[in-house]
């Protein structure tokens, strides 16, 4: 059973461009979470999604950031018009379907975004 | 709101030394507590967890006991190896939440031969 997969692992964007980060949860998992890790800091929750639904987006910046988890395909975290402050590691985690979402979260390797 | 505070790093140790990383929390209810480990360039891996007071989580020689009276969840290992060099994160899962994790800032541990 493959773990949580994220791609790309590294992404370089210039200011004003768009960044798209992808996350494929573990097989049998339908709860997906995105976290952001700024340099020298811990992870901060951004958004929690189930298939086709955003459950909690209380950690998402109000502008430029969006997330989706379509019926088919990976979850996408999209950052429009990136700025240097968006440079961070973005981690996706997933937990099993058919359980309370309070089950253990399994993390992917992260996407390291660098904005020039 | 709920929060997690852990000791600042880096913590530098010699191989076979005893490791302690302090973690304290503030929470309105009865959270579950976790330690995650992040090796260089990788994602977080769950190291151990405890879901109620006085529970002890253990894995790979690491231990942590959920102390409600001191609101602490300190991580310990009796004899570290070079391969234990990593960043360790203490985290809590809010009681009334669907499962949102609140992380500490992380503690870097460097073990030298």
């Amino acid at each position: 059973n493959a773990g949580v997969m994220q791609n790309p692992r590294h992404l370089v964007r210039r200011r004003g461009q768009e960044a798209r980060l992808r996350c494929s949860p573990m097989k049998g998992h339908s709860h997906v979470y995105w976290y952001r890790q700024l340099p020298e800091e811990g992870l901060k929750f951004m958004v929690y999604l189930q298939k086709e639904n955003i459950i909690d987006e209380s950690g998402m910046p109000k502008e430029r950031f969006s997330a989706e988890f379509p019926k088919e395909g990976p979850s996408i975290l999209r950052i429009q018009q990136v700025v240097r402050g968006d440079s961070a590691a973005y981690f996706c985690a997933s937990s099993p379907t058919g359980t309370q979402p309070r089950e253990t979260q399994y993390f992917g390797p992260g996407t390291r975004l660098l904005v020039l | 709101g709920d929060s997690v505070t852990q000791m600042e790093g880096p913590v530098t140790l010699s191989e076979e030394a005893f490791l302690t990383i302090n973690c304290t929390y503030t929470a309105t209810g009865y959270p579950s507590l976790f330690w995650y480990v992040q090796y260089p360039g990788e994602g977080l891996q769950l190291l151990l967890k405890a879901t109620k007071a006085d529970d002890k989580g253990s894995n790979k020689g690491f231990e942590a006991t959920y102390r409600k009276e001191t609101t602490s969840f300190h991580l310990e290992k009796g004899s570290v190896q070079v391969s234990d060099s990593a960043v360790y994160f203490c985290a809590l899962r809010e009681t009334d939440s669907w499962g949102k994790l609140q992380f500490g800032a992380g503690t870097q541990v460097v073990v030298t031969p």
Side-chain angles (χ1 to χ4, degrees), chain B residues 66-85:
Chain B
Y66 188 167
R67 302 282 188 203
K68 189 172 185 302
E69 63 276 13
T70 54
T71 62
S72 65
F73 192 55
H74 304 323
L75 182 68
E76 296 181 336
K77 185 174 185 182
S79 176
V80 293
Q81 305 300 313
V82 172
S83 58
D84 293 324
S85 298

Side-chain angles (χ1 to χ4, degrees), chain A residues 2-13:
Chain A
V4 177
M5 298 175 66
Q6 291 187 249
N7 68 80
R9 294 289 303 273
H10 299 273
L11 182 61
V12 180
R13 285 288 178 265

Side-chain angles (χ1 to χ4, degrees), chain A residues 47-79:
Chain A
V47 62
Y48 161 42
L49 310 104
Q50 295 180 17
K51 286 283 187 181
E52 300 185 280
N53 285 302
I54 296 174
I55 308 301
D56 183 346
E57 56 181 348
S58 58
M60 287 279 270
K62 293 290 183 282
E63 298 178 346
R64 302 188 297 109
F65 284 72
S66 62
E68 63 177 8
F69 189 16
K71 187 176 180 181
E72 302 291 338
S75 175
I76 306 286
L77 179 68
R78 182 181 177 206
I79 312 172

